[in-house]
Amino acid sequence: MLQNPAVTRYFHRIFKTLCTLERVPRRCFSTKPAPQAAPQAAPATTTSTGKSPGAGGSVTERKSIIPPNYRFAYQEFLPDPKIEWRNSLREKLERKDMLDRRANIDIPEFYVGSVLAVTSSDQHAENKTARFVGICILREKAGLRHRFILRNVIDHQAIEVSYDLYDPTVHKIEVLRLEKRLDDHLIYLRDALDEYSTFDINMEPEILPEGTPVPVNDVKVVLKPHPWYARWERHNLQGVANIEEHTNERRRRKAALVATPWEKYDLMKEYRRSIPEEEQKEIFTEIYSTLHSLELQRKKMKRKRTFVKPTKLA
């Protein structure tokens, strides 16, 4: 009987693979706990992942020194999650430039809903600088392109000014009222009553005691009738009180057609929208020492401003 050489080589490879598998020790996949080996004395060392071996050779993870609020207070240090825009070298150089800029200007902690006063260069102003007071309605973009928008109503005229956080023309950023809101943005204030966006340009700063958590303002604004800047009935807004009053049945049906309530269960979509926690820890570990020293310096200056010199008794 004639033999096909290709078939012979095929069976020869299979036989060689089976012989190799016979020499591999079999693994036990039983649900019973495997017997532990006798503990061996080992020097107390710390691994590169921040874990140190404990008693019996077990590995215990050290507590992270990075505060949990860093991902919210310094969100501009996190890169854009879109994979096509990622570049590790550019992101590292940008973080270095951002830290250098923070060493020259005090950039305080603030959130959407905080009231700020920004002093920037203005060649048309009398003293070449302009100061604007307003509520922060939006923070967006990452890195050196991070920007925020302030809104205020002055003389019954709504004014919005967009600032780049690391713009060299920005001289000073003051937090007059540090607080958060119920939503990630306050763009809907464009369609709300003017009283929710009106702030005194000579507003005095409200200083919170050291160690106090950032308060959350749960006020619900009242929107004006249509037309609106956007179809707010299609957004899941927590800080608006009267959306249903201005929404008819036709708008409700259209909002129900485009609603995507299943997105909160889409883990892959959420993963693509955010930066993994391991990468966040790596980024904040890189910049923690510089940011921590700047925070200590800011707290020292804050205590100097709040200190009241006692009057000499007669």
Side-chain angles (χ1 to χ4, degrees):
M1 182 177 63
L2 298 176
Q3 295 183 354
N4 190 344
V7 176
T8 304
R9 289 194 299 269
Y10 175 74
F11 282 104
H12 179 69
R13 288 198 300 268
I14 294 179
F15 180 77
K16 187 177 180 180
T17 304
L18 292 176
C19 293
T20 305
L21 292 177
E22 286 296 331
R23 293 193 296 268
V24 178
R26 297 182 180 179
R27 297 181 180 179
C28 179
F29 294 96
S30 173
T31 57
K32 297 181 180 179
Q36 297 182 356
Q40 299 179 358
T45 58
T46 304
T47 61
S48 60
T49 58
K51 299 180 181 180
S52 57
S58 60
V59 178
T60 57
E61 186 176 359
R62 294 190 306 175
K63 186 177 180 181
S64 177
I65 61 174
I66 309 300
N69 68 326
Y70 263 38
R71 61 187 300 263
F72 304 105
Y74 303 104
Q75 55 180 315
E76 69 272 10
F77 284 94
L78 296 178
D80 196 287
K82 291 187 178 181
I83 191 63
E84 60 269 18
W85 292 354
R86 296 296 303 273
N87 186 296
S88 58
L89 178 59
R90 175 184 56 81
E91 294 166 3
K92 190 176 186 65
L93 293 176
E94 282 190 356
R95 288 195 292 268
K96 184 178 182 303
D97 291 342
M98 293 157 68
L99 292 176
D100 292 342
R101 178 60 178 163
R102 283 181 172 267
N104 296 324
I105 181 177
D106 181 21
I107 301 180
E109 172 188 1
F110 68 95
Y111 304 88
V112 171
S114 300
V115 182
L116 309 178
V118 178
T119 304
S120 59
S121 298
D122 186 1
Q123 60 179 350
H124 303 290
E126 182 179 359
N127 53 357
K128 302 301 181 181
T129 58
R131 185 176 184 267
F132 184 76
V133 176
I135 182 173
C136 180
I137 64 174
L138 180 66
R139 291 188 67 174
E140 62 177 0
K141 299 184 180 181
L144 292 174
R145 297 167 302 283
H146 185 79
R147 71 174 188 136
F148 61 96
I149 300 178
L150 299 185
R151 176 181 173 85
N152 199 353
V153 177
I154 302 175
D155 294 336
H156 306 286
Q157 178 63 46
I159 302 174
E160 292 185 2
V161 182
S162 175
Y163 294 98
D164 289 336
L165 187 61
Y166 294 94
D167 190 352
T169 61
V170 175
H171 295 180
K172 188 178 182 181
I173 300 178
E174 305 172 75
V175 178
L176 304 182
R177 180 184 299 164
L178 181 62
E179 64 182 13
K180 299 178 181 178
R181 289 296 183 96
L182 299 177
D183 299 304
D184 296 334
H185 67 85
L186 301 179
I187 301 295
Y188 53 79
L189 288 181
R190 297 173 178 175
D191 298 319
L193 300 178
D194 292 345
E195 61 185 69
Y196 298 103
S197 302
T198 304
F199 300 92
D200 187 8
I201 59 175
N202 298 319
M203 178 179 177
E204 294 293 332
E206 302 175 2
I207 300 177
L208 293 176
E210 188 174 344
T212 304
V214 180
V216 179
N217 191 346
D218 57 354
V219 62
K220 294 182 178 293
V221 304
V222 178
L223 299 181
K224 301 176 183 177
H226 288 280
W228 287 344
Y229 173 78
R231 299 172 179 175
W232 300 123
E233 69 275 2
R234 302 187 181 184
H235 301 259
N236 187 20
L237 300 177
Q238 305 295 326
V240 181
N242 63 335
I243 287 185
E244 294 297 329
E245 297 179 7
H246 302 290
T247 305
N248 53 27
E249 189 62 29
R250 180 178 62 87
R251 293 179 182 271
R252 291 192 186 95
R253 288 199 303 268
K254 288 188 176 182
L257 289 176
V258 300
T260 55
W262 58 84
E263 281 193 356
K264 60 182 179 179
Y265 304 108
D266 193 343
L267 300 182
M268 285 305 301
K269 192 166 187 178
E270 183 65 25
Y271 176 79
R272 297 188 185 100
R273 285 179 176 175
S274 59
I275 302 297
E277 185 177 355
E278 296 79 9
E279 190 173 353
Q280 291 186 23
K281 290 183 179 179
E282 181 180 351
I283 292 173
F284 287 128
T285 302
E286 175 187 341
I287 63 178
Y288 171 74
S289 59
T290 305
L291 291 179
H292 185 60
S293 61
L294 293 176
E295 284 182 356
L296 294 179
Q297 184 179 359
R298 187 185 307 119
K299 290 180 181 179
K300 184 178 180 181
M301 297 300 296
K302 182 179 178 181
R303 286 193 292 267
K304 286 184 178 181
R305 289 195 301 266
T306 57
F307 176 73
V308 179
K309 186 177 180 180
T311 56
K312 185 177 180 180
L313 298 178

